[in-house]
Amino acid sequence: MTSPEAPPDRPDLRADCANCFGLCCVALPFAKSQDFAHDKNAGTPCRNLQDDFRCGIHTRLRDEGYPGCTVFDCFGAGQKVSQVTFEGVSWRERPESSRAMYEVFPVMRQLHELLWYLSDVLELDAAVAVHGDARRAREDIERLTRARSDELVAADVPAVRGDVNALLLKASELARADVPGALGRKKNHRGADLVGARFKKADLRGANLRGALLVAADLTGADLRSADLIGADLRDARLAGADLTGALFLTQAQVNAARGDAATRIPAGLQRPAHWAA
């Protein structure tokens, strides 16, 4: 069971675009597709990025053909790189630092994502057995996020992720242990290809859906309480009327990528996307 109290706001792990140098709009590449209206190379500013580092079509991204932008979440890495690593000096003010800034940003994003998941672990009452390890891991990663740019680029992120993943797996098992049948084979869909699968009104309480491909899956009215959804691909998944109360490791980006409605129940701390049906 999750803590009955709403999780803290975690401002350091939420995107603060006002204090970022538009890094997701510059550092990262994207290809023309149903998610992006045009191609863009890494290190090239998006054509919609304004001089103040704001998006010129932010309120119309989906209408203008950029739904991919609406589901991206840097977990606060943008402002950390902009204001801490590079001390508030932008790539426009100091062009010679731009390459290093673009290299650091994706590294920082991965580290901040891990900090988010570790914060989730620390809010799980049932996972108290791993709280000490999770707290130490969070402190170690937080120190790394404040390192110099060259140290961040050289960091062995896969090794860090591997250590954290072991903690997340244990926390998931502890949190789902009290859900009937959750740890059995019937509800183990880890990494499964479930594209377009039909789970309408299915009982998926405590299911292991880690890394599952749920693109365009029908989860209408499904019971996903306490299901482990870390890394699950929920693009265009139908969540109308679904119950995701207490879903483990669910992120705002996953919620934004899905299609829900006013009856969809989501964990505290996540916001109902504006594009969801009323």
Side-chain angles (χ1 to χ4, degrees):
M1 297 291 290
T2 56
S3 171
E5 299 180 0
D9 192 41
R10 304 183 193 174
D12 292 343
L13 299 178
R14 295 184 188 273
D16 178 4
C17 298
N19 284 300
C20 176
F21 300 139
L23 295 182
C24 64
C25 306
V26 184
L28 306 179
F30 52 72
K32 186 175 181 179
S33 63
Q34 64 179 6
D35 292 320
F36 301 102
H38 72 278
D39 295 320
K40 189 191 82 65
N41 295 324
T44 301
C46 174
R47 63 183 63 174
N48 299 308
L49 185 65
Q50 301 180 131
D51 291 342
D52 62 356
F53 303 113
R54 300 297 184 92
C55 174
I57 60 169
H58 180 72
T59 60
R60 310 189 311 278
L61 281 167
R62 286 184 170 268
D63 294 335
E64 296 286 343
Y66 296 88
C69 295
T70 68
V71 303
F72 178 79
D73 187 356
C74 76
F75 294 97
Q79 66 259 26
K80 176 69 77 63
V81 173
S82 299
Q83 303 301 327
V84 178
T85 313
F86 289 90
E87 301 178 325
V89 182
S90 76
W91 47 270
R92 283 184 173 141
E93 297 171 278
R94 190 184 294 161
E96 63 273 19
S97 71
S98 61
R99 181 174 179 179
M101 194 175 293
Y102 304 156
E103 290 177 342
V104 167
F105 176 63
V107 173
M108 188 71 79
R109 185 196 175 278
Q110 292 184 71
L111 295 175
H112 269 229
E113 181 181 19
L114 295 177
L115 288 174
W116 180 275
Y117 290 141
L118 288 168
S119 296
D120 280 349
V121 170
L122 292 170
E123 290 163 12
L124 291 172
D125 293 340
V128 65
V130 296
H131 280 187
D133 289 338
R135 192 171 292 108
R136 284 187 289 274
R138 189 173 65 172
E139 291 170 354
D140 289 343
I141 294 173
E142 178 60 36
R143 279 194 295 272
L144 179 57
T145 66
R146 296 183 177 277
R148 299 193 314 268
S149 61
D150 58 329
E151 294 175 319
L152 281 162
V153 172
D156 189 349
V157 177
V160 176
R161 183 177 291 276
D163 291 341
V164 171
N165 190 52
L167 280 171
L168 300 181
L169 281 167
K170 183 60 177 177
S172 174
E173 291 175 356
L174 291 168
R176 295 182 294 117
D178 292 335
V179 180
L183 302 184
R185 296 170 63 182
K186 184 177 179 180
K187 289 190 177 181
N188 185 2
H189 303 288
R190 182 177 182 180
D193 184 348
L194 300 172
V195 175
R198 298 179 180 178
F199 286 113
K200 188 173 183 179
K201 296 185 178 179
D203 180 4
L204 293 169
R205 287 175 296 166
N208 183 351
L209 290 161
R210 296 172 65 89
L213 298 177
L214 288 161
V215 179
D218 185 0
L219 292 159
T220 305
D223 191 343
L224 288 151
R225 286 177 291 173
S226 298
D228 186 341
L229 289 165
I230 192 169
D233 191 339
L234 294 173
R235 285 176 296 167
D236 291 325
R238 283 171 280 175
L239 293 174
D243 190 350
L244 292 96
T245 305
L248 304 176
F249 309 123
L250 183 67
T251 67
Q252 188 66 53
Q254 289 171 297
V255 171
N256 291 349
R259 295 160 53 192
D261 65 4
T264 306
R265 300 181 65 186
I266 58 177
L270 298 182
Q271 299 178 345
R272 192 174 305 276
H275 65 272
W276 277 15

